[in-house]
Amino acid sequence: MTVPVVDPDLVELAASVFADATDDNLWDTLEQTGLARLAVAEDAGGSGGSLLDLAAVLVEAGAAAAWAPLAETDLACRLAATAGLEVPAGPLTFALDAPLSVDRDTVSGTLARVPWGRSAAAVVALGGGSVVVLDPATATVVEGTNVAEEPRDTLTWSSAAATVAAAPDGAAAEFALRAALSRSLLLAGAARGALTRAVGYAGEREQFGRPIGRFQAIQQQLALAAAEVAAGGAAAESAARVVVRDGITAPTAELAVAAAKVRTGQAATEVARVAHQVHGAIGFTREHDLRLTTTRLWAWRDEDGTDGDWAQRIGDLTLAAGADGLWPLVTA
């Protein structure tokens, strides 16, 4: 199978949208350009793009610290589609392992740390063998955030009307992988964005009569960060390509996604450290835009599974493959 190539014009469009749009009008701009539901089928209200198209846009979104639930909307649409459910227009969010009590078309329960819960048009939740589409407007909302100040809200419904359907077999495992892949791509972009800011600052900030970027110690640190960005980006892109080639349920895809989440999480730690060291005290201030990428690196590395969770998954896959199956699994 030949894996398609992403159109560079799409990447350029995404970069320009994230650079020019403000937080207040970004979602409207994403909808107007067809990026909001890029990989959703056209008959479901999307643009009909590929997973690789979405992957490229998520990297750009991470690099720009875009204030929009792009990954969450895609995952919500995909999850609803697996159960034959429709979702409303607008930004969406989703929840896995949802502890909900479902009685026909009535739902009760609490979902914690829902991304963008307060502003979503709908929440698509998977739990108890059901896929449920819920209206956040009918929930009691306790607002919360992650360290990057992105909404992570607690939503509680009490006998609320909902659209409910049976979840397909394997949906929980599949969407845990899809969520981890999306988070890895966002992490890869955020790491690139933090490095870009650090390199730019090192070329502008002067000390002892020359830019600090000319000092060997700074160059070594930036080179280390660049290597981490390259490694994390390669792991995330490779995982997306393996998923396209083999399917999300293939063992090779599971291994690739797990490796990507671990590698981008490791890169997040190192790149954020170097970026703040290069910026010095100014980089730790709330007013400096470096925090937009580094706080996302710190937050996202622990979301949709930690490094430890996915490293354990790699170990489980290795043991399951056995001595004869490990090399074919890794090289496939």
Side-chain angles (χ1 to χ4, degrees):
M1 174 182 177
T2 301
V3 177
V5 177
V6 176
D7 187 346
D9 290 340
L10 174 64
V11 178
E12 184 178 349
L13 171 63
S16 66
V17 166
F18 295 132
D20 296 337
T22 66
D23 290 347
D24 292 335
N25 66 13
L26 178 55
W27 189 260
D28 289 340
T29 304
L30 290 171
E31 289 190 330
Q32 292 165 8
T33 55
L35 298 178
R37 300 189 182 191
L38 178 62
V40 176
E42 293 183 24
D43 58 6
S47 299
S50 70
L51 176 62
L52 287 185
D53 293 333
L54 175 65
V57 172
L58 287 179
V59 171
E60 295 301 321
W67 187 259
L70 263 182
E72 291 81 2
T73 297
D74 176 77
L75 291 164
C77 287
R78 288 178 185 272
L79 180 55
T82 64
L85 299 177
E86 295 184 357
V87 291
L92 305 174
T93 189
F94 84 113
L96 299 180
D97 300 322
L100 297 173
S101 175
V102 180
D103 182 11
R104 296 185 180 179
D105 58 355
T106 301
V107 175
S108 299
T110 297
L111 301 180
R113 297 192 63 77
V114 178
W116 307 90
R118 74 193 72 165
S119 56
V123 178
V124 183
L126 173 63
S130 298
V131 176
V132 183
V133 179
L134 290 153
D135 183 356
T138 64
T140 300
V141 180
V142 178
E143 295 186 357
T145 63
N146 61 14
V147 72
E149 299 183 357
E150 294 178 306
R152 297 294 185 267
D153 303 325
T154 298
L155 282 66
T156 301
W157 289 269
S158 179
S159 299
T163 307
V164 181
D169 292 340
E174 174 186 340
F175 279 88
L177 287 169
R178 290 192 181 279
L181 174 59
S182 294
R183 194 64 61 188
S184 298
L185 292 161
L186 288 167
L187 278 165
R192 193 189 77 193
L195 175 63
T196 299
R197 286 169 169 82
V199 170
Y201 182 77
E204 297 169 356
R205 175 73 166 90
E206 292 192 0
Q207 189 70 25
F208 305 111
R210 56 178 174 166
I212 62 173
R214 294 186 182 179
F215 291 95
Q216 187 176 28
I218 299 295
Q219 292 173 353
Q220 288 175 332
Q221 289 298 301
L222 290 174
L224 172 62
E228 292 293 320
V229 169
E237 180 183 352
S238 176
R241 291 184 175 277
V242 172
V243 168
V244 170
R245 185 192 69 191
D246 298 347
I248 190 68
T249 59
T252 49
E254 185 176 0
L255 178 63
V257 171
K261 188 60 170 69
V262 171
R263 194 62 190 86
T264 53
Q266 293 172 339
T269 299
E270 287 302 305
V271 173
R273 177 186 66 80
V274 170
H276 278 286
Q277 285 185 338
V278 170
H279 279 80
I282 191 174
F284 287 91
T285 62
R286 181 178 177 79
E287 291 74 16
H288 201 284
D289 67 358
L290 176 64
R291 70 176 177 85
L292 298 176
T293 50
T294 56
T295 56
R296 281 168 170 77
L297 289 172
W298 292 324
W300 291 345
R301 67 184 176 185
D302 293 329
E303 293 185 340
D304 299 307
T306 66
D307 293 359
D309 295 332
W310 289 104
Q312 180 67 51
R313 182 73 67 88
I314 293 173
D316 292 342
L317 288 168
T318 300
L319 292 174
D324 295 332
L326 178 58
W327 185 246
L329 177 66
V330 172
T331 58

